[in-house]
Amino acid sequence: MSFALPSLSGSPVGAALPPVDGQALALEFLNYAFMQRALIAALVIGVTAPVVGIYLVQRRQALMGDGIGHVALTGVALGFLFNTSPVWMAVLVSAIGAVGMELLRLSGKARGDIALAMLFYGGMAGGVMIINLAPGGSTAGLTSYLWGSVTTVSASDITAIVILAAFVLLVGLGLRRQLFSVCQDEEFARVTGLPVRALNLLLAVTAAATVTVAMRVVGLLLVSALMVIPVVAAQQATRSYAGTLAAACGFGVLVSVSGTVASYYADVPPGATIVLIALGLFALAAALTRPIARRRARRAELPVPPPGTPVGERATVPAPADPDRSSVPSR
Amino acid sequence: MESVISLEGVTAELGGHPVLRGIDLVVRAGEVVALLGANGSGKSTTVRAAVGRVPITAGRLELFGTPLSRFRDWRRVGYVPQRSTAAGGVPATVREVVAAGRLARRGLLPLRRGDHEAVHRALETVGLADRAREPVATLSGGQHQRVLIARALTNDPDLLIMDEPLAGVDLASQDVLAETVRTLVGRGAAVLLVLHELGPMEPLIDRAVILSGGRVERIVEHGDHLPDTHACHPEDAPEPSAEPRLHSGIL
């Protein structure tokens, strides 16, 4: 049995696909150590990425993960140059990049999107330049980090992934009320005396850790998708922040594990498979919840919905359901 | 009586433009003070300076007798910022938003049972206890404003600061708001409001401070003629020749 390394062409290395048989299908891939490691990595990343992603989505910084991903590339290349672990070097460099980006945003000196754009270009160019300076290094060495290569995850990678994920979960879940407050209404959070600046920087470092955790599985170029899409899919159906967080973690695990398994059988790159499954899940969630959302919007038009009001009853007193509309002074 | 907020000759600038040019203002315990004035007169900047959101360039600013730079007792302050029209991307329930107010007490620790009870009481005060589990995005403008007020009330503040709490708020919510302010003042809290119109707040207001061009134009004590609808001054109008007419002992 051979397993094609994920590549852009996705060409199988002369392997026949395994027989599609229920029992064999369920167990066979677990016999391979590389698949066991791949699944552990996928599981950990699936639950971790949305925990940070939810705060970025709330703050309208969905692309921040991409910016950090590009900077992490420079870290990976530095790892090759200095012959140290690319993962830990990527953590270090992307954390510095994320903190720098956050400080720039907080100072108000540069628009968020421009700071992000500079980071994109600098990180990418730096990575390509440095990898070519490394002895025996070439741009090809970066490929597995760019597109992910879950099947080549080593035992030491797993250790790094688990440690980083534990840190991310500790911050993202343990400080969820505080981070929610900061991301939802930063001005109010400051007046409650929260250390807003420290929390923002902590979130930036946490996002950097998440990116490096996820890069082995989905690749630096698709890393942000696993932070953002499960959250956006979940919020189609949820009403609360806690519910969105829980559902997003569930979706994250679902897509990353199923994508990894699917890529094993269909011999396709796992990163792209995971992201496409996630997008499919989002489309499904949006289609299924549209009628519910419409019904809810109608119900919200009633000033005080008495319990047991028939769904879809015509509202008698139309009040604006859209908070934006009512921001105009009434008189 | 204890002065809860006191500003003396406070100046501030935004983006290099002077916005406050020497504001004197005192709010004591049990008082309701309204800041009135045209757009750009410095009302919002004054309250944002009072909670440390706009740095002051000169003058003295004290909360509960402590200079703002050393003030740490934020649980005594309830702040209701101007309602932002940008709805957050991620759904959140009324209760989740209001619970953020308790972080003034909890800091970086998780919330406890007592915190959740305080959140419930605050929601009852503004008449939204039955909507606690609903997403804020489905609320009307007035209800949303009441959520933000409940968030500020969770710590039983000794000072409530509200920036334009009546903007875009239906009449029923305006009455709830007035009632909330009445209750707070009844137990000795101080209230500072930025208002465009007095509306149902009028009988509660002890003093109206009218700003113009970053200065106090005049002060109207309750019982005198409170300006019902404040005429808009163009900002390039000549400075009022008179200093604030009413020099009470506190200024």
Side-chain angles (χ1 to χ4, degrees):
Chain A
M1 173 62 215
S2 77
F3 184 84
L5 287 181
S7 62
L8 268 174
S9 62
S11 59
V13 189
L17 288 177
V20 182
D21 169 84
Q23 193 59 27
L25 196 127
L27 296 170
E28 186 213 26
F29 59 82
L30 287 176
N31 294 336
Y32 299 96
F34 76 87
M35 266 318 272
Q36 293 167 2
R37 287 197 294 270
L39 284 172
I40 292 171
L43 188 77
V44 168
I45 290 156
V47 77
T48 308
V51 168
V52 175
I54 193 169
Y55 303 112
L56 300 183
V57 169
Q58 191 185 14
R59 220 165 50 180
R60 294 161 191 268
Q61 286 188 310
L63 290 178
M64 186 169 173
D66 291 294
I68 297 172
H70 284 61
V71 176
L73 193 67
T74 298
V76 169
L78 281 173
F80 281 113
L81 182 65
F82 296 125
N83 216 4
T84 56
S85 156
V87 172
W88 289 108
M89 207 57 164
V91 172
L92 188 72
V93 173
S94 57
I96 293 170
V99 167
M101 201 169 7
E102 190 58 30
L103 288 176
L104 207 59
R105 187 184 75 86
L106 290 175
S107 75
K109 287 204 180 91
R111 264 169 43 200
D113 60 332
I114 292 176
L116 207 60
M118 296 297 172
L119 222 65
F120 268 56
Y121 313 140
M124 199 64 148
V128 171
M129 179 62 74
I130 291 167
I131 193 75
N132 282 292
L133 296 177
S138 72
T139 317
L142 289 180
T143 307
S144 76
Y145 292 90
L146 278 177
W147 303 107
S149 138
V150 70
T151 48
T152 58
V153 172
S154 67
S156 68
D157 285 338
I158 289 287
T159 313
I161 286 174
V162 169
I163 292 172
L164 287 168
F167 163 72
V168 171
L169 290 175
L170 194 73
V171 170
L173 298 178
L175 293 175
R176 66 184 188 285
R177 298 253 181 212
Q178 288 76 8
L179 291 172
F180 167 76
S181 178
V182 169
C183 294
Q184 198 245 349
D185 189 343
E186 194 166 308
E187 172 140 336
F188 177 81
R190 287 180 189 274
V191 179
T192 53
L194 280 180
V196 170
R197 189 189 172 86
L199 285 168
N200 273 324
L201 294 180
L202 182 64
L203 185 61
V205 171
T206 311
T210 312
V211 165
T212 33
V213 163
M215 75 177 174
R216 295 295 279 155
V217 173
V218 287
L220 287 170
L221 293 181
L222 291 174
V223 100
S224 202
L226 209 46
M227 296 164 83
V228 172
I229 302 174
V231 175
V232 181
Q235 72 186 25
Q236 303 298 314
T238 52
R239 299 157 65 86
S240 70
Y241 205 76
T244 309
L245 185 57
C249 290
F251 284 169
V253 170
L254 183 70
V255 299
S256 61
V257 170
S258 63
T260 306
V261 174
S263 77
Y264 172 78
Y265 285 104
D267 189 22
V268 285
T273 313
I274 290 170
V275 172
L276 289 175
I277 291 177
L279 281 174
L281 190 71
F282 162 72
L284 194 69
L288 287 180
T289 55
R290 178 149 293 198
I292 301 174
R294 210 176 287 145
R295 211 157 53 206
R296 235 179 237 161
R298 267 207 302 271
R299 269 221 312 257
E301 285 177 17
L302 291 170
V304 179
T309 306
V311 170
E313 186 183 300
R314 193 76 189 90
T316 46
V317 185
D322 175 6
D324 288 14
R325 268 174 49 195
S326 52
S327 63
V328 188
S330 55
R331 277 179 282 166
Chain B
M1 230 187 309
E2 188 196 5
S3 91
V4 174
I5 298 187
S6 93
L7 281 76
E8 270 180 51
V10 165
T11 65
E13 43 187 54
L14 290 176
H17 295 281
V19 181
L20 304 183
R21 303 159 188 254
I23 299 275
D24 297 320
L25 175 72
V26 171
V27 185
R28 278 156 297 182
E31 280 186 336
V32 182
V33 173
L35 286 177
L36 303 173
N39 286 333
S41 60
K43 297 170 305 204
S44 281
T45 310
T46 302
V47 296
R48 295 188 68 229
V51 293
R53 297 320 322 132
V54 173
I56 63 173
T57 46
R60 269 159 43 86
L61 205 172
E62 290 183 351
L63 290 181
F64 299 98
T66 309
L68 185 69
S69 55
R70 284 194 279 120
F71 183 77
R72 294 288 175 272
D73 209 2
W74 288 109
R75 74 180 69 177
R76 297 184 73 182
V77 180
Y79 177 53
V80 183
Q82 221 170 68
R83 195 156 51 89
S84 65
T85 51
V90 180
T93 62
V94 168
R95 184 187 290 162
E96 284 172 326
V97 171
V98 173
R102 286 297 281 190
L103 296 175
R105 210 165 274 262
R106 277 280 151 256
L108 297 179
L109 301 173
L111 299 187
R112 298 201 195 130
R113 179 194 292 264
D115 298 310
H116 296 292
E117 285 164 0
V119 168
H120 185 73
R121 278 197 305 277
L123 280 171
E124 278 184 334
T125 307
V126 299
L128 286 177
D130 56 331
R131 322 253 342 216
R133 289 169 174 278
E134 289 188 32
V136 281
T138 62
L139 300 181
S140 71
Q143 289 165 336
H144 194 219
Q145 187 69 57
R146 279 147 73 183
V147 168
L148 299 191
I149 291 165
R151 183 176 67 173
L153 293 179
T154 51
N155 297 308
D156 294 320
D158 297 318
L159 167 62
L160 183 65
I161 296 177
M162 299 200 270
D163 197 348
E164 300 269 8
L166 298 183
V169 168
D170 54 280
L171 284 175
S173 291
Q174 291 194 7
D175 290 337
V176 171
L177 239 144
E179 198 46 52
T180 306
V181 168
R182 197 189 307 275
T183 315
L184 264 181
V185 173
R187 54 168 194 68
V191 179
L192 177 63
L193 304 155
V194 170
L195 291 178
H196 244 85
E197 75 240 23
L198 295 176
M201 294 290 181
E202 178 166 5
L204 296 168
I205 288 166
D206 294 305
R207 197 176 330 123
V209 176
I210 295 128
L211 302 186
S212 172
R215 289 200 178 88
V216 176
E217 185 186 87
R218 61 198 169 102
I219 297 174
V220 183
E221 297 287 341
H222 186 71
D224 295 357
H225 180 67
L226 283 175
D228 190 39
T229 317
H230 191 72
C232 278
H233 298 273
E235 277 311 296
D236 53 356
E239 292 292 332
S241 55
E243 283 290 287
R245 275 188 295 128
L246 195 146
H247 284 279
S248 58
I250 48 162
L251 287 178

